[in-house]
Amino acid sequence: MALETEIKMSLPAGAARRLPAHRLLADSKPLRQQLVNTYYDTADLRLQRKRLAVRYRQKGSEWLLTVKSDAPSPGGLAQRREWEVASQPGEFDFSHVDNMKLRRFLESVTFDLVPVFTTDFIRSLWILTPQDGTRIEVALDRGKIIAGERSDPICEVELELLEGSVDELFAAAVALQADLPLHPEGASKAERGYRLAAEKALAPVRATNATLEMGMTSIAVFRSTAFSCLGQLQGNERGVRETDAPEFIHQARVAMRRLRSAIRLWRPLLPADYVSNFDPRWRTLANQLGDTRNWDVFITEILPPISKAFPEHSDIRRLENEARTHLTACRKQARAAMTSPDYSRLLLEFTAASVALVESKKPPIAGFAPRSLNKRAKRVAALATETRDSNPEARHALRVALKRLRYALEFFAPLFPARRMQRYHQSAAGLLELLGQMNDIVVAEQLAMQALPGHHSDLVRAWLAGRSDLMLGQLGPLLGEFLRHQPPWEHG
């Protein structure tokens, strides 16, 4: 088995001709070859569910049978297991797979394998040797993915580490990105091919638990958590750029909030320059999407019941029109942020810096996790005593602290008894939902005054004030219920 380590980045077709002239590549002539790859799976896509890819590659007169894991590629970085051997199409001989459990599975489905999609592209290939002991393959792939009558273009750059350190691989990628509009991609050709074959529409990607395994250091758990957040963020990129669906913006912001919470949670163990570099940059990007989310909530959740109550009121109709105008402008800004070179650089640089973090056996995650959770729980308990009145600032501070606690609970959930953690998490989630709704009311009042200055927003603000009073009556009981739950990490 080989471990394939590569960085995958997309490139606009119009910029592809600039790559061979880059200073890293200009002194060598590329090797060009056509690669035609047919990917196979069972009719019920058992390989895809296991995140496996089986393909036959035609390279000139040679045929190669490849088995590889199709793991996520946070920040463009893919580290995949790969087994490859010369073979002939139709001869699914998996004897070269040295993982016996995987081999038995592949042999059990051999007779059910059918072609699902094909990739057909021209690869231009360079070998970089930046120093002794380092070899990096740079490939420009241009072609298409084909599934039945449908196709999707390919124009991407892959940097594969043949020999040397991952640091050198990232250094080459950063050098190329400095002069070319390269964007780290989270989806492999196989993932794109499956999506094309299934004619799957874009769907928002929600948070998933990071991988926690026995023996992982605290920094390794942080890295896994951060990369899980990047996967959620990149999974929503296209939805933000190409659609008006509010949920893509929402989930992209959730991913960045979770990522910043992870950085703050692990801050005592992280280099100071890592935190000071990346935390403000992620905050800036999240803020660039924030106004769009606020107007989305205002239009889809706040305005409908008001419009229903006052269907003929001229101020309400005017407010709806003004709100949509503001949303259109904000959505344009959000799309610009998610397509900017700054965002592409942030993804690559953050991934490189996270991979380079030095690991230590101390403190063990079993000790670091409960200490971190205790700190956040005490902060929430202290703020809870300040929110039993109608102070919006105190409620906002509690909401922020509670979110950070909830994210920490999710990050560390596999370390504690599931049933106790679930009860505690549900109690926190109920309180957080109410605080979120109350915050939406506060933001909506500000937006209403922005869209309709002066007395024209009086009706809306009066309605919102009534809703706020109703919610305030629910706050005390939910606070009390949450504070009565014993934290699950205190059970040992």
Side-chain angles (χ1 to χ4, degrees):
M1 178 195 74
L3 180 65
E4 179 186 64
T5 301
E6 66 180 20
I7 296 173
K8 183 187 298 292
M9 297 183 285
S10 60
L11 181 67
R17 65 181 182 276
R18 293 164 47 194
L19 179 68
H22 192 276
R23 57 183 175 80
L24 291 184
L25 311 176
D27 293 337
S28 59
K29 186 176 181 179
L31 170 67
R32 287 188 173 85
Q33 52 192 197
Q34 182 176 15
L35 301 178
V36 181
N37 308 278
T38 301
Y39 288 76
Y40 292 80
D41 205 334
T42 62
D44 57 354
L45 304 180
R46 275 172 276 174
L47 272 66
Q48 185 192 24
R49 291 201 298 274
K50 288 182 174 289
R51 297 199 70 95
L52 292 171
V54 170
R55 75 178 184 217
Y56 262 103
R57 165 171 286 180
Q58 183 181 9
K59 186 166 70 171
S61 60
E62 184 182 16
W63 289 88
L64 298 171
L65 172 62
T66 304
V67 177
K68 64 166 61 180
S69 59
D70 189 27
S73 305
L77 176 65
Q79 293 182 301
R80 300 184 172 103
R81 298 170 297 156
E82 182 180 65
W83 296 264
E84 193 165 68
V85 68
S87 186
Q88 290 296 317
E91 296 179 7
F92 290 108
D93 180 357
F94 297 111
S95 59
H96 65 297
V97 177
D98 57 6
N99 181 312
M100 294 309 298
K101 183 179 180 180
L102 175 58
R103 177 178 168 181
R104 285 193 294 270
F105 166 73
L106 292 170
E107 289 174 344
S108 73
V109 300
T110 294
F111 295 106
D112 298 323
L113 294 176
V114 293
V116 181
F117 59 90
T118 299
T119 63
D120 185 350
F121 53 88
I122 301 294
R123 169 165 287 179
S124 301
L125 199 65
W126 296 262
I127 301 295
L128 299 181
T129 55
Q131 63 182 22
D132 290 342
T134 298
R135 293 170 59 244
I136 297 169
E137 180 182 277
V138 180
L140 170 62
D141 295 341
R142 300 196 65 181
K144 57 186 174 181
I145 304 171
I146 307 161
E149 299 297 319
R150 298 174 300 282
S151 67
D152 199 24
I154 295 171
C155 188
E156 61 187 29
V157 175
E158 292 182 359
L159 290 82
E160 182 176 352
L161 185 64
L162 304 180
E163 183 182 3
S165 70
V166 178
D167 289 348
E168 287 292 334
L169 184 68
F170 273 106
V174 168
L176 290 172
Q177 192 190 55
D179 301 309
L180 295 163
L182 291 162
H183 180 73
E185 287 294 339
S188 66
K189 293 184 181 74
E191 186 175 343
R192 292 175 59 195
Y194 274 114
R195 188 185 304 135
L196 184 67
E199 298 184 82
K200 291 182 74 172
L202 280 175
V205 175
R206 289 167 173 77
T208 57
N209 290 332
T211 301
L212 268 70
E213 298 174 355
M214 292 296 294
M216 289 178 71
T217 66
S218 293
I219 288 297
V221 176
F222 167 75
R223 187 183 295 115
S224 178
T225 301
F227 286 174
S228 174
C229 296
L230 283 191
Q232 182 188 9
L233 173 61
Q234 292 190 267
N236 290 287
E237 283 176 355
R238 282 189 59 200
V240 173
R241 295 193 303 251
E242 299 175 13
T243 79
D244 292 339
E247 192 63 16
F248 290 106
I249 287 275
H250 177 51
Q251 292 302 325
R253 293 189 72 235
V254 167
M256 285 184 275
R257 282 201 305 266
R258 286 169 57 86
L259 181 54
R260 293 189 62 221
S261 290
I263 292 173
R264 291 174 178 230
L265 183 65
W266 269 272
R267 179 162 47 189
L269 309 184
L270 297 172
D273 59 346
Y274 178 95
V275 176
S276 63
N277 179 8
F278 293 112
D279 186 55
R281 293 167 71 182
W282 286 119
R283 181 182 65 238
T284 297
L285 180 62
N287 289 341
Q288 288 173 319
L289 274 60
D291 287 343
T292 305
R293 175 60 183 165
N294 289 338
W295 284 110
D296 272 329
V297 171
F298 187 77
I299 290 172
T300 61
E301 298 178 20
I302 302 295
L303 271 182
I306 302 176
S307 299
K308 185 176 180 180
F310 307 99
E312 303 300 326
H313 201 289
S314 60
D315 284 343
I316 304 301
R317 291 198 300 270
R318 181 182 167 194
L319 179 58
E320 289 176 338
N321 293 333
E322 290 292 332
R324 294 189 185 282
T325 299
H326 282 285
L327 174 60
T328 298
C330 291
R331 182 166 282 133
K332 184 177 180 180
Q333 294 172 0
R335 286 173 177 156
M338 294 293 281
T339 55
S340 71
D342 287 344
Y343 173 52
S344 298
R345 283 193 294 270
L346 176 56
L347 282 174
L348 189 61
E349 291 172 10
F350 178 78
T351 304
S354 300
V355 170
L357 289 171
V358 177
E359 297 188 28
S360 172
K361 293 183 178 179
K362 295 182 179 180
I365 192 66
F368 177 74
R371 284 199 302 272
S372 301
L373 289 169
N374 271 330
K375 180 180 177 181
R376 278 151 185 78
K378 288 178 181 178
R379 171 68 174 161
V380 168
L383 289 171
T385 62
E386 303 174 18
T387 60
R388 298 182 185 275
D389 57 17
S390 58
N391 186 331
E393 291 77 15
R395 292 200 304 268
H396 178 70
L398 173 62
R399 177 170 169 263
V400 171
L402 195 57
K403 274 188 177 181
R404 291 175 180 171
L405 174 60
R406 186 187 72 177
Y407 293 147
L409 288 169
E410 293 171 356
F411 298 154
F412 294 138
L415 301 176
F416 302 103
R419 185 173 298 177
R420 292 169 182 163
M421 183 66 82
Q422 184 179 21
R423 287 198 297 265
Y424 189 80
H425 189 276
Q426 286 175 344
S427 177
L431 177 57
L432 194 53
E433 182 178 1
L434 177 63
L435 289 168
Q437 292 172 349
M438 297 180 80
N439 183 71
D440 290 342
I441 294 295
V442 173
V443 173
E445 290 175 348
Q446 298 168 354
L447 297 182
M449 288 188 289
Q450 179 182 344
L452 288 183
H455 70 277
H456 295 289
S457 61
D458 288 350
L459 175 61
V460 172
R461 288 190 289 116
W463 189 92
L464 292 172
R467 290 289 298 164
S468 181
D469 289 342
L470 288 174
M471 292 180 187
L472 192 60
Q474 304 170 35
L475 182 58
L478 280 178
L479 276 171
E481 179 187 350
F482 172 72
L483 294 173
R484 283 192 297 272
H485 281 274
Q486 185 177 2
W489 57 88
E490 293 183 356
H491 289 268

